[in-house]
Amino acid sequence: MYKKSVQGWLKHLDFMILDVVCLWISFTLAFNMRHGSLDVLANSLYRDMMWSLALMDIVVIFFFDSLKNVLKRGFYQEFVMTVKQTCLITLCSVFYLFTFKEADSYSRLVLGYTAALYLLLSYVLRCLWKNCLRKYFGGAEKRSLLIVTISDIVDTVIDNIKNKNYGDYFVTGVCILDKKAKGRVIDGVTVVADEDDLVEYV
């Protein structure tokens, strides 16, 4: 899945499934904390809510693009996005309960516990899963990459490729098109060509 660029929002299907599972686990634990039972499916109100939460999660991910650049996000960015996702799902849950006039029967503690548990569990599992993917796809089969850029942004480009890429490319060198800098080392990467001998080098 991650060795080739896959277009569309389904390219992060694994994260989506993981997110729904986290939400279900959080909801079940919240139900247990409030009602002392793990059998959520025995209660029709909470059973319906459980399936609705999964749908809400998928809709929020789709319309708010919550998984965009998920593999590139750092810990802080991931936490901010998880907080946003949690808030949106909680708001959707409240809207659902009021729309179907079930707010009076539904425990507000379950709603609060679910949000708190989901925030924690989803954040931790996302970070762990990203770490697993980076380790697995960062092994021996790295792809070579020649960076071709201009001098004004060369530092930024190299930093982005080396520290934020998730394809784990092996940077073989950099070519600066608007300056003669062959042989210079920038952030550990050697300038191997310029505009005149780029084609020959490649």
Side-chain angles (χ1 to χ4, degrees), residues 79-95:
F79 181 75
V80 171
M81 188 56 70
T82 308
V83 169
K84 179 181 176 182
Q85 176 85 1
T86 303
C87 291
L88 288 170
I89 291 174
T90 303
L91 288 174
C92 289
S93 300
V94 172
F95 179 77

Side-chain angles (χ1 to χ4, degrees), residues 144-150 153-163 165 169-177 186-194 198 201-202:
S144 297
L145 177 70
L146 172 65
I147 300 172
V148 180
T149 183
I150 57 176
I153 60 171
V154 63
D155 293 313
T156 304
V157 173
I158 291 175
D159 178 67
N160 285 338
I161 295 295
K162 290 180 66 176
N163 301 316
N165 89 92
Y169 292 98
F170 173 70
V171 180
T172 57
V174 61
C175 169
I176 299 179
L177 297 174
I186 304 173
D187 194 15
V189 180
T190 304
V191 180
V192 295
D194 51 41
L198 172 60
Y201 177 82
V202 172

Side-chain angles (χ1 to χ4, degrees), residues 36-129:
S37 171
L38 290 172
D39 193 6
V40 181
L41 300 179
N43 187 305
S44 60
L45 171 63
Y46 289 93
R47 181 176 62 245
D48 293 343
M49 187 62 178
M50 188 172 189
W51 292 111
S52 299
L53 281 172
L55 180 60
M56 290 175 204
D57 194 28
I58 294 171
V59 169
V60 167
I61 288 173
F62 179 74
F63 282 103
F64 291 91
D65 216 3
S66 303
L67 295 178
K68 183 179 180 180
N69 296 326
V70 64
L71 292 172
K72 297 182 182 180
R73 296 198 293 245
F75 291 111
Y76 175 73
Q77 290 175 311
E78 191 61 61
F79 181 75
V80 171
M81 188 56 70
T82 308
V83 169
K84 179 181 176 182
Q85 176 85 1
T86 303
C87 291
L88 288 170
I89 291 174
T90 303
L91 288 174
C92 289
S93 300
V94 172
F95 179 77
Y96 168 86
L97 291 170
F98 277 99
T99 301
F100 291 96
K101 299 180 180 180
E102 295 178 340
D104 292 336
S105 305
Y106 192 85
S107 172
R108 290 164 180 78
L109 283 176
V110 172
L111 190 65
Y113 290 154
T114 300
L117 290 168
Y118 171 70
L119 173 62
L120 178 64
L121 190 60
S122 180
Y123 174 70
V124 170
L125 287 183
R126 280 187 191 187
C127 291
L128 289 175
W129 184 238

